[in-house]
Amino acid sequence: MSSLILPAILSGLTMGAVYALVALGLTLIYGVLHIINFAHGSLLMLALYAVYFLNLRLGVDPYLAIPLVLPLFFLLGYALQRGIIAPMSQGSEQNVLLVTLALSLIVDNLALYFWTSNTRTVDIPYAYDTVEVLGAFLPFGRVVAFVAALAAAPLLWAFMTHTRTGAAIRAVAIEKRGAELVGIDVNHTYAICFGIGTACVALAACLLLPTFYVTPQVGYTFVLVAFTTVVLGGMGSLPGALIAGLLLGVIESLCGLFLGESLGQIGIFLAFILILLFRPSGLLGARARP
Amino acid sequence: MTRTFDRRDLLKASSATLLGAVAMPGVLRAQQRVVKIGVLEPLTGNLAYNGTQSAAGAKFAAEALNAAGGIKSMGGARIELVIVDAQSRPEVAASSVDTLVEAGVCAFTGATASALGLASSQAAAKHNLAQVFSIGTAEAVVDRGLPNVFRFTPGVNKCTSVALDNLKLLNEGAKGIIKTAAIVHEDGPFGSNMAKILNERLPAQGIKVVETISHPTPHRDFSNIALRVKASKADMLIPSNYLNEYTLMARALFQQRVDLKAIYSILGGAASNIKFVRENNEVAQYVMDCNHWYDPNKELSKALRQKVADAKLDLTYDIMCSYATVQVIADALERAGSDDRAKMIEALGASTFDSIMPYGPTKFVKGDNQASQPVNTQIRGDKIELVFPKKFATAEAVFPIPPKG
């Protein structure tokens, strides 16, 4: 068993990178704007289908689909917030919850209607390729996702801390009325933030599909762990989401190895409870607001 | 151009109208005579793929039966399916039975997973409504002794037993090359039950179980499982799980360079699925499965294969089993001559129907079809061949996996 520990840790890190990627968008929307986006998993599913159909119909490689899918999903997120979530929620957080839940149900069932429940995977030449790291064989696609997560989190953090839009988002998150008073268009800023969060989900989809599958239910496979990642990392903390994602991946992998795969997720929720007990603001919550 | 009506025309028209008025209700009555069969399947949720395929199988059967004149003993009554979504959740499966009862079904088929079927049949028992299990492998399905339960396809005990008998023959033919095995199974009732039986019976065949690994459904990452199988140095892997997990597992095994002499699935979700073969062709080669499958040589089977191809669907065992169970229910209706629930239970209990499955006449004893049997399939090239029993075989079994190159 001891010979499996290192490969399990490495495997957990690469899986954790996927969790972090899914959680990055959520931490922006959930952590910064305090919008509990129940439709996050459904948006991930939509993005996975977008990547899948680009590959199937036009032969676009999932990684090369990034420049196409990201802007598309930014616009989708922007439009959803401006056109549906904001008008229907009328500023009430409870309403936001219900609206995103309704969106999730509608999107999932439309996907089921149009694309059926068939499991779909992309046919790519590197689907079975591996990278050897310290004697462990890691799936190529997961290594790419790991590197991308390491790059995406600091880039997003830099955007939030060094650009006017990022400053506006932070201002709206901290003091909405004050931001309005200094001339920030709050509705536009909310929508920009939602758009960026949705684009992050699209990035996760491009990096996930080479090693995973897509079905109308696939969002649920990741969304719960993404919410856990956000809270564990600290609400709104991008570096926190990255660290928490990687940590959860490793915990899940090691628990799976030692306790059995059926009990692997116990580790995730045990870590979650411990963090809530001893550090309720999350790993980087209080110190690392973007 | 205009035309005037004379008295004769008027009389003709009046007579025709009168005749029509007298005859129409009869025609309408004949057209409206329907008998309802329920189809309770998980159309959404984790098991949506299997459930949707099963629902399609039921539709193909109803179409074929209606095209052949419906239920003749009931004046050619048309079969109408009432399809309800169990949402892959046992509590929904149970509550959906009320929907079926309100719709007036005479019996129903379903529900892909044992956990769903256990819940639905328990609820149906209160209404004296028969459930013919298309798939429900957990032995608890029949062990409860509910009079409304009819399991048409084999349970996990029989599947495992037949699979082990066939494995013994294959291994003897290969001079006992398989000495150790690893078991990977989903952690629900059917997978756990199967793993228990395998652990008890494999040693008697001279095969030592060196690793038993359970996993939840859905499961995101099979790297650890592949690593554990590799570390166990097992000659053979026996997996039993659903399509998505099987696909991820097969990929992980390949990526972790797990060298196996055989992959022998029992009720493997993908190993008898042409979609898996198409999309993972390289890793799928020579994978063997002991599973539900139809008799490909029967005329109705050939017609079904064509229908499924025309509908651009994949022909999976879900379609075959669901098709067959609707056939069985229709036969019971034919003999009962009524859609009364109690008469249906009685008629199903006396069923001796020969469906598209390779079973011969059904024989329900305490709700379990004694005639049911699984068969062995093997992935060869881009096809799934039936390799056991010889009577139905479309190809010779290749065992163990030939060396690469």
Side-chain angles (χ1 to χ4, degrees):
Chain A
M1 188 68 89
S2 61
S3 64
L4 302 183
I5 293 174
L6 180 65
I9 290 172
L10 293 173
S11 173
L13 280 172
T14 57
M15 197 67 212
V18 175
Y19 297 159
L21 280 166
V22 179
L24 281 179
L26 195 63
T27 202
L28 269 179
I29 298 167
Y30 180 40
V32 178
L33 300 181
H34 310 298
I35 292 176
I36 301 171
N37 182 17
F38 273 118
H40 197 72
S42 306
L43 289 171
L44 175 67
M45 176 269 292
L46 271 187
L48 283 164
Y49 271 111
V51 181
Y52 171 78
F53 283 115
L54 275 172
N55 178 266
L56 184 75
R57 306 268 183 239
L58 305 173
V60 179
D61 184 274
Y63 298 137
L64 297 179
I66 291 173
L68 298 171
V69 178
L70 254 64
L72 187 73
F73 273 76
F74 171 80
L75 292 175
L76 175 69
Y78 188 95
L80 277 177
Q81 171 62 21
R82 283 306 287 258
I84 296 175
I85 298 171
M88 293 184 81
S89 60
Q90 298 172 337
S92 158
E93 285 187 10
Q94 290 92 327
N95 287 359
V96 170
L97 194 141
L98 291 173
V99 171
T100 55
L101 184 62
L103 258 179
S104 160
L105 290 172
I106 292 166
V107 169
D108 288 357
N109 283 289
L110 283 176
L112 194 62
Y113 180 78
F114 286 112
W115 300 320
T116 74
S117 54
N118 274 1
T119 301
R120 295 159 199 257
T121 52
V122 284
D123 183 16
I124 42 174
Y126 50 83
Y128 298 102
D129 287 0
T130 52
V131 177
E132 193 173 347
V133 180
L134 302 171
F137 297 109
L138 301 174
F140 171 74
R142 294 253 294 271
V143 174
V144 173
F146 179 75
V147 173
L150 290 187
L155 277 175
L156 204 54
W157 178 79
F159 172 81
M160 294 295 285
T161 50
H162 291 86
T163 65
R164 288 178 66 85
T165 310
I169 291 172
R170 285 183 294 132
V172 169
I174 295 164
E175 180 50 61
K176 191 172 153 187
R177 183 64 59 85
E180 261 179 325
L181 285 172
V182 297
I184 294 172
D185 182 343
V186 171
N187 287 336
H188 174 67
T189 309
Y190 260 76
I192 289 276
C193 187
F194 205 93
I196 295 170
T198 311
C200 287
V201 167
L203 175 67
C206 294
L207 297 162
L208 181 61
L209 197 58
T211 57
F212 214 70
Y213 56 83
V214 56
T215 67
Q217 298 82 32
V218 73
Y220 296 106
T221 312
F222 289 94
V223 79
L224 188 60
V225 77
F227 271 105
T228 312
T229 306
V230 169
V231 177
L232 191 64
M235 305 269 274
S237 169
L238 297 166
L242 177 64
I243 293 167
L246 296 176
L247 189 65
L248 288 182
V250 173
I251 289 172
E252 184 185 38
S253 183
L254 289 178
C255 284
L257 190 65
F258 289 109
L259 304 176
E261 295 298 322
S262 295
L263 299 176
Q265 296 216 344
I266 280 182
I268 290 183
F269 298 109
L270 195 64
F272 183 63
I273 291 167
L274 288 174
I275 285 288
L276 285 181
L277 278 176
F278 296 108
R279 198 173 167 82
S281 58
L283 290 173
L284 302 181
R287 286 173 290 162
R289 267 195 181 280
Chain B
M1 195 175 101
T2 57
R3 186 181 171 215
T4 55
F5 285 89
D6 59 17
R7 196 179 58 167
R8 195 180 297 267
D9 285 332
L10 196 65
L11 272 173
K12 276 184 191 167
S14 304
S15 306
T17 309
L18 189 66
L19 196 65
V22 172
M24 274 307 273
V27 172
L28 286 175
R29 269 197 303 276
Q31 283 175 341
Q32 286 170 349
R33 185 137 199 210
V34 294
V35 57
K36 293 180 180 178
I37 297 175
V39 179
L40 178 62
E41 293 291 351
L43 306 176
T44 56
N46 290 328
L47 299 165
Y49 175 76
N50 302 82
T52 312
Q53 289 285 99
S54 295
K59 282 183 199 168
F60 288 128
E63 278 172 23
L65 288 159
N66 285 335
I71 305 299
K72 294 177 186 71
S73 68
M74 296 173 72
R78 280 179 53 250
I79 292 169
E80 185 180 299
L81 299 179
V82 179
I83 300 174
V84 179
D85 180 11
Q87 297 179 21
S88 306
R89 291 159 55 196
E91 71 276 17
V92 177
S95 62
S96 298
V97 170
D98 291 337
T99 311
L100 292 173
V101 171
E102 280 169 26
V105 303
C106 62
F108 70 103
T109 175
T112 288
S114 300
L116 301 178
L118 283 165
S120 61
S121 54
Q122 194 81 35
K126 294 174 198 157
H127 300 283
N128 204 27
L129 177 65
Q131 173 169 2
V132 183
F133 278 72
S134 52
I135 295 168
T137 48
E139 293 307 330
V141 166
V142 286
D143 285 350
R144 296 167 302 168
L146 294 175
N148 65 317
V149 165
F150 298 91
R151 183 169 66 184
F152 177 64
T153 48
V156 67
N157 284 358
K158 185 180 278 181
C159 286
T160 312
S161 187
V162 171
L164 287 173
D165 291 346
N166 292 347
L167 175 64
K168 191 177 178 189
L169 290 173
L170 287 164
N171 203 24
E172 280 171 2
K175 293 171 186 163
I177 193 167
I178 304 298
K179 294 185 170 46
T180 55
I183 301 164
V184 174
H185 66 95
E186 64 90 39
D187 60 6
F190 106 77
S192 305
N193 202 356
M194 190 206 70
K196 185 170 169 276
I197 300 167
L198 286 174
N199 270 289
E200 286 166 1
R201 287 196 45 190
L202 275 172
Q205 293 192 12
I207 297 173
K208 186 182 173 192
V209 179
V210 288
E211 187 70 278
T212 302
I213 309 166
S214 68
H215 65 79
T217 304
H219 193 51
R220 291 178 287 259
D221 184 17
F222 278 81
S223 302
N224 278 349
I225 291 176
L227 286 169
R228 282 176 63 183
V229 173
K230 188 178 182 179
S232 74
K233 294 188 169 58
D235 293 327
M236 175 176 67
L237 174 67
I238 304 184
S240 190
N241 41 24
Y242 296 104
L243 174 65
N244 294 345
E245 284 66 37
Y246 200 106
T247 304
L248 293 180
M249 180 193 70
R251 282 187 177 191
L253 290 170
F254 188 85
Q255 286 168 329
Q256 298 303 330
R257 292 154 173 76
V258 183
D259 192 20
L260 294 160
K261 293 189 178 82
I263 300 180
Y264 190 85
S265 311
I266 302 178
L267 301 169
S272 297
N273 187 308
I274 196 70
K275 188 174 162 56
F276 171 72
V277 178
R278 208 169 43 234
E279 293 179 354
N280 302 275
N281 194 264
E282 192 178 351
V283 297
Q285 290 308 307
Y286 301 106
V287 166
M288 205 174 271
D289 192 19
C290 187
N291 214 325
H292 314 291
W293 204 253
Y294 70 169
D295 177 352
N297 303 313
K298 287 185 176 170
E299 285 308 313
L300 273 176
S301 301
K302 290 174 188 168
L304 173 63
R305 192 159 60 224
Q306 189 55 50
K307 280 268 181 196
V308 173
D310 291 346
K312 294 188 169 64
L313 290 174
D314 289 325
L315 181 57
T316 60
Y317 62 76
D318 313 280
I319 288 184
M320 301 166 190
C321 295
S322 197
Y323 185 100
T325 48
V326 171
Q327 281 186 307
V328 170
I329 294 173
D331 169 68
L333 270 167
E334 196 69 78
R335 286 181 291 106
S338 159
D339 57 2
D340 178 76
R341 292 181 214 154
K343 285 182 181 167
M344 281 300 290
I345 288 178
E346 200 179 318
L348 281 164
S351 176
T352 54
F353 183 72
D354 190 7
S355 71
I356 60 165
M357 303 303 276
Y359 299 168
T362 47
K363 187 185 176 191
F364 287 111
V365 175
K366 292 178 181 170
D368 203 10
N369 181 10
Q370 304 299 300
S372 67
Q373 61 167 344
V375 299
N376 275 39
T377 59
Q378 188 171 38
I379 297 169
R380 304 270 283 278
D382 57 357
K383 285 184 182 167
I384 296 171
E385 303 284 6
L386 202 162
V387 293
F388 258 71
K390 295 266 184 203
K391 188 179 165 190
F392 309 108
T394 54
E396 282 282 324
V398 175
F399 190 91
I401 296 172
K404 286 188 176 68

